[in-house]
Amino acid sequence: MNRLWTKNYTIITIGSVVSMLGNSMAGFAMSLFVLDYTQSPLYYAIYMFLYTLPQIAAPVLAGPLMDRFSRRKTIYILDFASMAIYALLAGLMHFGLFNFWVFASITFIIGTIHSAYTVAFESFYPMLVSEGNYIKAYSVLSTLETLVLVMIPVSTFLYKTVGMVWLMLINSACFCTAAIFETQISDVEGKERQSDSRYTFGGYMEDMKEGMRYLWTEKGLLYITLYFIFCFMAMGASNVITLPYFKAGYDNGEYIYMSVWGFMVLGRVLGGMMHYRLHLPEKHKFTIAVCVYVAASCRGYWA
């Protein structure tokens, strides 16, 4: 049986965990900072909108490029770019050059980088998983993505003790570490990318049209895509009001917010462990997925 923990898989796992740890910690602190700095849910909504907006367009625009250019290089170049941006934010805050609109503009860039990175990572990750280990690999990834949410209480503690400058520097260091790890991944994408220098705008548009045609013909994939579009829109709307609600409605409301998130973290960890250990029958997977989607979509109603 093929091993799951090969060199490439181990490197991409370590690199992604390090960057996720820093990003989870800095991301929540940035939300707290915007609310404390502006004292305005409206400005917080603008901040969230500018971070989320590129996540709608960037995957569509970046998808055709990922089919032509090295995903491996894209991943570590974007992590080095994130390192530089968070270091820049730390410098602006330290020297008193910070204001909300500068922060919002940089947030838009961060959201764009994150979206492009997600496209590259999610299309590259399966190439690093040995045959027969896909369910285990994605269970590991899902569990680790959930576990990094424990950095939210750490983020709140550091935000109140050492401040945003040090948090930005820590996040910058995490991205630097992740990028260095990712440069050590072997090139598994083949030689077909040697002709990328001749890639034209016309070829890019044709690749995008071909992707849209494929999505339209694959009805199952189309409906899943539509579901997640509306799901992310709903989650985005709820995320805009949730943290301001807890901070305004309770003393130290961010800690109550963290407690609520803690139960979600626990559930996702248990679910990831179950997927890693158990083999679900193929014939029941669709039914299970539908039940999970329906339950997740109804949680707002139950609340």
Side-chain angles (χ1 to χ4, degrees):
M1 183 177 178
N2 295 326
R3 292 187 302 115
L4 171 62
W5 293 93
T6 60
K7 172 196 167 186
N8 284 339
Y9 178 76
T10 302
I11 291 174
I12 193 67
T13 301
I14 293 174
S16 60
V17 167
V18 171
S19 63
M20 284 190 293
L21 284 171
N23 214 27
S24 176
M25 181 170 58
F28 187 66
M30 288 165 69
S31 298
L32 294 174
F33 178 72
V34 169
L35 282 172
D36 289 340
Y37 181 82
T38 66
Q39 296 293 311
S40 169
L42 175 60
Y43 281 110
Y44 177 73
I46 293 173
Y47 156 76
M48 291 294 293
F49 173 75
L50 290 175
Y51 179 75
T52 306
L53 180 62
Q55 298 184 43
I56 299 173
V60 177
L61 298 175
L65 296 176
M66 293 304 104
D67 288 334
R68 296 283 184 170
F69 295 94
S70 172
R71 297 171 178 87
R72 181 179 71 93
K73 291 182 180 179
T74 300
I75 285 172
Y76 67 72
I77 288 173
L78 291 177
D79 271 348
F80 277 128
S82 296
M83 173 202 73
I85 288 173
Y86 282 106
L88 173 63
L89 270 175
L92 291 174
M93 293 177 180
H94 178 72
F95 292 107
L97 302 175
F98 174 86
N99 65 63
F100 172 77
W101 294 109
V102 170
F103 187 68
S105 301
I106 294 177
T107 297
F108 180 82
I109 298 173
I110 291 173
T112 303
I113 290 175
H114 175 73
S115 301
Y117 177 91
T118 300
V119 174
F121 178 85
E122 290 184 353
S123 58
F124 186 53
Y125 185 78
M127 298 181 184
L128 307 180
V129 179
S130 55
E131 188 175 353
N133 288 304
Y134 291 104
I135 294 177
K136 282 188 175 183
Y138 279 97
S139 297
V140 169
L141 181 63
S142 176
T143 302
L144 292 175
E145 287 176 343
T146 304
L147 284 174
V148 298
L149 295 177
V150 301
M151 296 306 293
I152 289 179
V154 176
S155 170
T156 304
F157 173 76
L158 292 177
Y159 171 70
K160 291 181 175 294
T161 54
V162 303
M164 282 297 294
V165 172
W166 278 106
L167 275 170
M168 295 296 99
L169 290 175
I170 292 171
N171 198 24
S172 179
C174 287
F175 274 111
C176 180
T177 303
I180 291 172
F181 269 103
E182 289 157 355
T183 59
Q184 303 305 306
I185 297 174
S186 304
D187 186 1
V188 298
E189 297 178 84
K191 299 180 180 179
E192 66 274 8
R193 305 189 185 278
Q194 292 178 352
S195 61
D196 292 339
S197 59
R198 297 192 296 272
Y199 194 46
T200 64
F201 179 75
Y204 168 81
M205 293 302 297
E206 185 57 37
D207 284 347
M208 183 176 291
K209 292 177 183 177
E210 182 180 347
M212 292 298 180
R213 286 193 294 266
Y214 175 79
L215 180 63
W216 184 256
T217 57
E218 291 290 334
K219 298 302 182 184
L221 183 60
L222 173 64
Y223 294 140
I224 287 291
T225 302
L226 291 173
Y227 165 79
F228 278 110
I229 288 174
F230 287 104
C231 185
F232 289 148
M233 289 173 62
M235 286 193 298
S238 64
N239 288 339
V240 166
I241 62 174
T242 304
L243 182 58
Y245 168 78
F246 279 103
K247 279 187 67 66
Y250 302 92
D251 294 331
N252 295 316
E254 57 268 33
Y255 291 104
I256 299 176
Y257 176 85
M258 290 185 312
S259 300
V260 173
W261 269 71
F263 286 99
M264 186 196 74
V265 172
L266 177 61
R268 292 189 63 176
V269 168
L270 293 175
M273 293 172 61
M274 181 187 71
H275 270 288
Y276 189 85
R277 292 291 183 184
L278 300 179
H279 176 73
L280 299 176
E282 295 288 338
K283 63 180 180 180
H284 296 315
K285 285 185 177 179
F286 177 76
T287 303
I288 294 172
V290 170
C291 291
V292 171
Y293 291 156
V294 170
S297 299
C298 291
R299 68 184 185 274
Y301 174 78
W302 293 334

